[in-house]
Amino acid sequence: MDFKQLQSYIAIVKYKSFTIAAEKLGISQPTISTHIRILEEELDSQLVTRTAKNFEITPRGWELYDCAQSILKLRDDMVDRWNGNEPKVIRIGVSTIPSAYILPEVLPEFEKQHKDVCFVVSQCDSRGIIQAVQKGSFDMGLVGMKTDDETLEFRQFYQDRMVLIAPASERYVSMKEQGVSLQELLKEPMIWREEGSGSGKSAEQLLKKLGISEDDISVTARINDQEAIKNLVSGGLGVSIISEKAVQNDLESKHLLQFELPEELAGRQFYIIYQKGYILKDYVEEFANYLLNFYQ
């Protein structure tokens, strides 16, 4: 079985005529007939039935037609890619912070210089993005946690830090003015990120470095949405440990109050990830380098 035989078969199905198919492909009718005979012999199946008045495709023939179209499309896509003719689409998976606060800063600037590049962006927690990149679902990912997976390349592109946020109420303003200790703040009702979140993982590691177990804090809610966490904190449900990148506007508008965490413990990184050994398309590599330089 080869591509020419599949092309011949697709043509006879499309035109329901060996003669017309041969004309469209620029080959002889005996050649078309030979291609179909070879396919039927190799697949041990009758693909078409012909009489003087009728031309019918058998059920197995329709199965082959669908498969042949897919095979030839894959071939054409591969050729277009190698010849540089494919659309420049970057499939990117991003965790919460990059999705909401980093891409809106980066993509408009990148687009000004690369109007021929299109992005398909999917959001999930960091763990989900890492798993998807492992499977090849994305060209690259942007996440807030790093694993020991040797099949992935992690390139740090943004330095963030964790902060503790509280409602901008008189009580918490007074606590801030009095310089209340972190240990006292951590006794407050806590709103926590869901499992798999890079921010949640960073918060857990910070507590661990302080010698505090998650069992030692009072978790009043677990939320998988960063904006929801900020709204709940602002509404007075509790405090939370969150990425500073996510609360800059809220602090400036005085909707939230920020308490500093120990500088040596609060740092966190965001990473560009892709499959190790995978040759990135030129425009994907260009975007990765752009991102690496954007926050320098």
Side-chain angles (χ1 to χ4, degrees), residues 124-165:
C124 185
D125 60 47
S126 289
R127 183 177 299 173
I129 296 301
I130 289 172
Q131 292 172 347
V133 172
Q134 287 172 327
K135 297 176 182 177
S137 300
F138 302 120
D139 295 310
M140 60 186 292
L142 304 180
V143 296
M145 60 187 286
K146 186 177 182 180
T147 68
D148 296 327
D149 193 316
E150 296 181 354
T151 67
L152 296 178
E153 189 76 38
F154 288 81
R155 300 171 69 183
Q156 180 184 330
F157 76 94
Y158 184 79
Q159 173 72 42
D160 194 14
R161 63 174 181 154
M162 304 299 291
V163 296
L164 189 145
I165 57 171

Side-chain angles (χ1 to χ4, degrees), residues 205-213 216:
Q205 291 174 345
L206 188 147
L207 291 182
K208 185 176 180 181
K209 292 174 183 177
L210 291 171
I212 300 173
S213 166
D216 298 329

Side-chain angles (χ1 to χ4, degrees), residues 166-197:
S169 63
E170 290 184 8
R171 175 170 177 265
Y172 285 100
V173 169
S174 176
M175 292 173 70
K176 188 175 179 67
E177 291 173 347
Q178 294 172 15
V180 66
S181 69
L182 178 59
Q183 284 69 22
E184 287 299 313
L185 285 169
L186 292 176
K187 293 179 182 178
E188 297 292 304
M190 185 72 68
I191 303 171
W192 210 248
R193 282 298 301 272
E194 85 289 0
E195 186 177 356
S197 155

Side-chain angles (χ1 to χ4, degrees), residues 19 57 82 89 103 105 107 110 132 145 150 154 160 171 214 222 249 259 273 276 287 295:
T19 302
I57 308 300
W82 256 252
V89 178
L103 288 186
E105 293 179 343
L107 292 190
F110 184 80
M145 60 187 286
E150 296 181 354
F154 288 81
D160 194 14
R171 175 170 177 265
E214 191 176 330
R222 291 184 180 273
N249 293 337
F259 289 83
I273 65 169
K276 189 173 291 186
F287 176 67
Y295 289 107

Side-chain angles (χ1 to χ4, degrees), residues 12-290:
I12 69 157
V13 173
K14 181 178 180 180
Y15 299 110
K16 291 186 169 51
S17 166
F18 279 61
T19 302
I20 297 175
E23 291 175 356
K24 295 292 184 180
L25 295 177
I27 58 179
S28 68
Q29 182 172 333
T31 300
I32 287 272
S33 298
T34 299
H35 286 170
I36 305 308
R37 177 178 55 78
I38 292 173
L39 285 173
E40 289 183 327
E41 290 176 354
E42 184 172 345
L43 297 174
D44 193 25
S45 299
Q46 185 175 8
L47 302 175
V48 297
T49 57
R50 287 188 296 167
T51 65
K53 296 182 179 180
N54 293 316
F55 183 101
E56 299 291 338
I57 308 300
T58 67
R60 295 308 301 270
W62 284 115
E63 289 182 34
L64 177 62
Y65 179 70
D66 290 338
C67 291
Q69 285 187 308
S70 298
I71 290 169
L72 293 183
K73 184 179 185 304
L74 284 173
R75 182 204 60 179
D76 293 341
D77 289 347
M78 183 186 71
V79 171
D80 285 343
R81 176 175 177 179
W82 256 252
N83 290 336
N85 297 325
E86 67 168 349
K88 293 183 178 180
V89 178
I90 300 178
R91 300 169 303 141
I92 180 171
V94 293
S95 60
T96 306
I97 300 299
S99 173
Y101 310 106
I102 290 178
L103 288 186
E105 293 179 343
V106 175
L107 292 190
E109 296 301 316
F110 184 80
E111 192 273 340
K112 291 177 183 177
Q113 304 172 31
H114 305 83
K115 295 187 179 298
D116 57 340
V117 177
C118 174
F119 288 84
V120 177
V121 181
S122 300
Q123 182 189 324
C124 185
D125 60 47
S126 289
R127 183 177 299 173
I129 296 301
I130 289 172
Q131 292 172 347
V133 172
Q134 287 172 327
K135 297 176 182 177
S137 300
F138 302 120
D139 295 310
M140 60 186 292
L142 304 180
V143 296
M145 60 187 286
K146 186 177 182 180
T147 68
D148 296 327
D149 193 316
E150 296 181 354
T151 67
L152 296 178
E153 189 76 38
F154 288 81
R155 300 171 69 183
Q156 180 184 330
F157 76 94
Y158 184 79
Q159 173 72 42
D160 194 14
R161 63 174 181 154
M162 304 299 291
V163 296
L164 189 145
I165 57 171
S169 63
E170 290 184 8
R171 175 170 177 265
Y172 285 100
V173 169
S174 176
M175 292 173 70
K176 188 175 179 67
E177 291 173 347
Q178 294 172 15
V180 66
S181 69
L182 178 59
Q183 284 69 22
E184 287 299 313
L185 285 169
L186 292 176
K187 293 179 182 178
E188 297 292 304
M190 185 72 68
I191 303 171
W192 210 248
R193 282 298 301 272
E194 85 289 0
E195 186 177 356
S197 155
S199 295
K201 187 71 174 177
S202 295
E204 291 171 9
Q205 291 174 345
L206 188 147
L207 291 182
K208 185 176 180 181
K209 292 174 183 177
L210 291 171
I212 300 173
S213 166
E214 191 176 330
D215 295 334
D216 298 329
I217 62 176
S218 175
V219 177
T220 188
R222 291 184 180 273
I223 310 293
N224 63 0
D225 180 80
Q226 202 87 13
E227 292 299 310
I229 289 177
K230 292 191 296 181
N231 290 335
L232 289 172
V233 171
S234 177
L237 183 63
V239 302
S240 186
I241 296 176
I242 197 172
S243 167
E244 185 178 46
K245 183 69 173 174
V247 295
Q248 291 174 343
N249 293 337
D250 302 272
L251 296 174
E252 292 173 2
S253 63
K254 302 188 184 304
H255 289 147
L256 293 170
L257 196 63
Q258 173 180 321
F259 289 83
E260 301 291 340
L261 298 171
E263 191 67 33
E264 67 278 8
L265 303 179
R268 69 172 301 201
Q269 290 76 40
F270 286 94
Y271 302 91
I272 301 169
I273 65 169
Y274 50 85
Q275 291 183 0
K276 189 173 291 186
Y278 178 66
I279 300 176
L280 296 177
K281 302 168 189 173
D282 291 344
Y283 52 90
V284 178
E285 179 71 31
E286 190 170 358
F287 176 67
N289 290 331
Y290 183 87

